[in-house]
Amino acid sequence: MFCCSFCLSLFNWIIITAVISFGIKFLIKKLRGHVDITNEVDISGKTVIVTGASDGIGKATVEEFATRGARVILACRNLQKAERCVQQIRSRTTNGELIALHLNLSSLKSVRNFVTEFNQKYGDKGLSILVNNAGVGNPLGVRKLTEDGFEESFGVNHLGHFLLTNLLLPQLDKAAKEEEMPSRIVTVSSGAARFGKLNFEDLMFEKTPFVDTAFFSQFLCNSKLANNLFNLELAKRLRAKKVNVRSYAVCPGVVETNTVLEFPFPPVVKIVLWITRFFMGKTPKEGAETTVYCSTSKYLTHHSGEMYRNCEFWDYSKRPKLNEQDAKLLWEKSEKLVLLGRDESML
Ligand SMILES: NC(=O)c1ccc[n+]([C@@H]2O[C@H](COP(=O)([O-])OP(=O)(O)OC[C@H]3O[C@@H](n4cnc5c(N)ncnc54)[C@H](OP(=O)(O)O)[C@@H]3O)[C@@H](O)[C@H]2O)c1
């Protein structure tokens, strides 16, 4: 079979490397947390909103909620794509209710229109779970703007969700009162937050130059840091006002979605990413697990303001500690940027 001893030993090395690689991959998968479905709050019939539900992690999250019998609103900027998702999910489960509604987070007007439409058509029972999942990842070295003139990542990933959450709080509060249990807000952040650095004098990088690394866009990292600070301050304000709503931030891990697959990285980075993905990459269904855990686990009923990864609490001591002053400042700046009226905010 082999023409020489070199070919034989090469073959042996390939086999050994493959066995070890797949062994490590298998082990990493086994060591990861999983949603404990024996300890879930019953969400059948409850109303859930998932932003960015037309693809990747959001789409997988919707399917998990539908399987559990929830009424799921797919809040998407592309309604045709969202309807295709509904059909695909319907071919796998007939459980729950799936409704596609238009939401473009890069437009404050669209966020407000979405909330008005939701209140009119589906606000009867309130809102039990809001998943702030949608996200854009800027191509490296490019600065784009939203309809309202905000830097795109900050505008979509943080400001759009900031306004949406505030406007939906009365509905979350309503469901909590009717169901006599806390409603939940889950914001999908990222480990990239650790590379974020907010300059409160120039949040949109209008005056200062931005510095992208080979792996991450500064804008993406900043928007994800903003997600974490938002989660911290939101939980604090909810607690202070005794609103029965919990807030969690989630790092989904490295998930094989458009965000990761279509990013125009330099070749060396692509190789590093390929290796990382091979060993640690999750399917969108696996990437949705921590979101589902935070949305439904009974263990978290009395927790709020924390961050989770692999269905486990992600310790603050293992990553840069969030600054409470920054969280407060970001909240106040965000209120001004999205023109949140005093009468519109419960907090
Ligand atoms: N994949 C990862 O490894 C990873 C790691 C850490 C964090 N995350 C975070 O996980 C979340 C989901 O990302 P993903 O990986 O599932 O990416 P994805 O497959 O690209 O999905 C992103 C979703 O967000 C939607 N979206 C983008 N801009 C929007 C806007 N202006 N208004 C409304 N919806 C918008 C997209 O809509 P269209 O379908 O119309 O494009 C899509 O449904 C993001 O917040 C991301 O930052 C992902």
Side-chain angles (χ1 to χ4, degrees):
M1 186 181 168
F2 298 99
C3 56
C4 61
S5 61
F6 172 76
C7 287
L8 176 62
S9 71
L10 184 69
F11 176 76
N12 285 341
W13 274 112
I14 290 172
I15 295 290
I16 290 166
T17 312
V19 168
I20 292 174
S21 302
F22 280 101
I24 294 173
K25 189 179 163 81
F26 179 78
L27 211 68
I28 289 174
K29 221 171 179 162
K30 281 280 152 205
L31 289 175
R32 260 192 219 134
H34 280 286
V35 185
D36 179 358
I37 52 168
T38 58
N39 258 290
E40 285 187 355
V41 174
D42 178 14
I43 59 163
S44 59
K46 292 188 183 177
T47 306
V48 179
I49 292 177
V50 181
T51 69
S54 54
D55 220 322
I57 301 168
K59 184 176 163 187
T61 307
V62 169
E63 188 159 347
E64 291 297 320
F65 288 141
T67 308
R68 289 160 172 78
R71 172 166 80 169
V72 195
I73 312 287
L74 293 85
C76 301
R77 63 179 169 178
N78 182 339
L79 273 185
Q80 282 179 336
K81 198 173 168 187
E83 291 295 355
R84 279 200 299 276
C85 286
V86 170
Q87 282 163 18
Q88 284 163 8
I89 295 171
R90 274 285 160 258
S91 68
R92 293 188 286 269
T93 177
T94 52
N95 289 5
E97 204 183 331
L98 296 171
I99 302 148
L101 280 192
H102 184 259
L103 169 69
N104 183 356
L105 287 154
S106 69
S107 154
L108 297 179
K109 193 168 161 220
S110 171
V111 174
R112 288 182 179 280
N113 288 345
F114 169 84
V115 175
T116 306
E117 190 177 2
F118 172 78
N119 287 343
Q120 283 168 356
K121 294 185 180 166
Y122 307 104
D124 50 335
K125 294 183 287 185
L127 175 65
S128 301
I129 303 167
L130 167 64
V131 180
N132 291 327
N133 164 83
V136 280
N138 272 76
L140 299 173
V142 179
R143 180 175 178 271
K144 292 201 229 167
L145 299 182
T146 68
E147 187 183 292
D148 305 286
F150 304 136
E151 184 286 308
E152 193 187 33
S153 293
F154 192 78
V156 172
N157 303 357
H158 169 61
L159 289 175
H161 283 129
F162 175 86
L163 180 62
L164 181 72
T165 305
N166 273 285
L167 296 181
L168 285 172
L169 265 182
Q171 290 289 359
L172 287 153
D173 185 45
K174 182 172 165 183
K177 285 185 175 132
E178 283 187 12
E179 292 158 11
E180 294 181 353
M181 68 165 73
S183 301
R184 303 186 188 204
I185 298 161
V186 180
T187 301
V188 183
S189 180
S190 166
R194 72 175 67 233
F195 305 108
K197 203 168 188 302
L198 298 179
N199 172 2
F200 286 99
E201 300 311 313
D202 188 21
L203 283 168
M204 310 298 164
F205 287 85
E206 284 159 321
K207 298 171 231 155
T208 33
F210 57 94
V211 188
D212 288 347
T213 69
F215 282 92
F216 287 118
S217 135
Q218 181 70 58
F219 301 141
L220 173 73
C221 299
N222 280 15
S223 72
K224 292 297 160 182
L225 173 60
N227 282 160
N228 292 355
L229 292 169
F230 165 63
N231 174 52
L232 190 70
E233 182 69 12
L234 176 62
K236 195 173 163 189
R237 287 176 183 243
L238 289 167
R239 227 176 279 128
K241 294 269 171 162
K242 296 195 170 32
V243 183
N244 198 15
V245 178
R246 308 286 185 254
S247 173
Y248 315 95
V250 160
C251 169
V254 181
V255 189
E256 310 222 354
T257 62
N258 297 337
T259 302
V260 171
L261 300 179
E262 290 174 7
F263 223 65
F265 289 116
V268 182
V269 177
K270 276 198 168 158
I271 293 169
V272 177
L273 263 184
W274 188 89
I275 295 168
T276 315
R277 269 184 26 222
F278 175 79
F279 286 113
M280 304 185 42
K282 296 180 180 180
T283 61
K285 185 177 160 62
E286 289 167 338
E289 282 179 343
T290 308
T291 298
V292 176
Y293 175 74
C294 289
S295 304
T296 60
S297 175
K298 283 182 188 162
Y299 293 128
L300 304 193
T301 311
H302 302 292
H303 291 253
S304 195
E306 294 157 348
M307 187 155 190
Y308 291 81
R309 191 175 62 162
N310 294 329
C311 299
E312 281 176 353
F313 170 58
W314 198 11
D315 195 348
Y316 276 98
S317 62
K318 290 185 185 152
R319 60 199 162 79
K321 189 162 168 35
L322 295 173
N323 184 324
E324 293 196 14
Q325 295 290 101
D326 285 357
K328 184 168 178 286
L329 192 54
L330 178 67
W331 186 283
E332 289 164 358
K333 293 245 173 199
S334 304
E335 274 180 330
K336 289 198 182 106
L337 286 165
V338 302
L339 306 171
L340 188 70
R342 280 192 181 279
D343 53 330
E344 288 181 312
S345 173
M346 288 182 70
L347 304 175

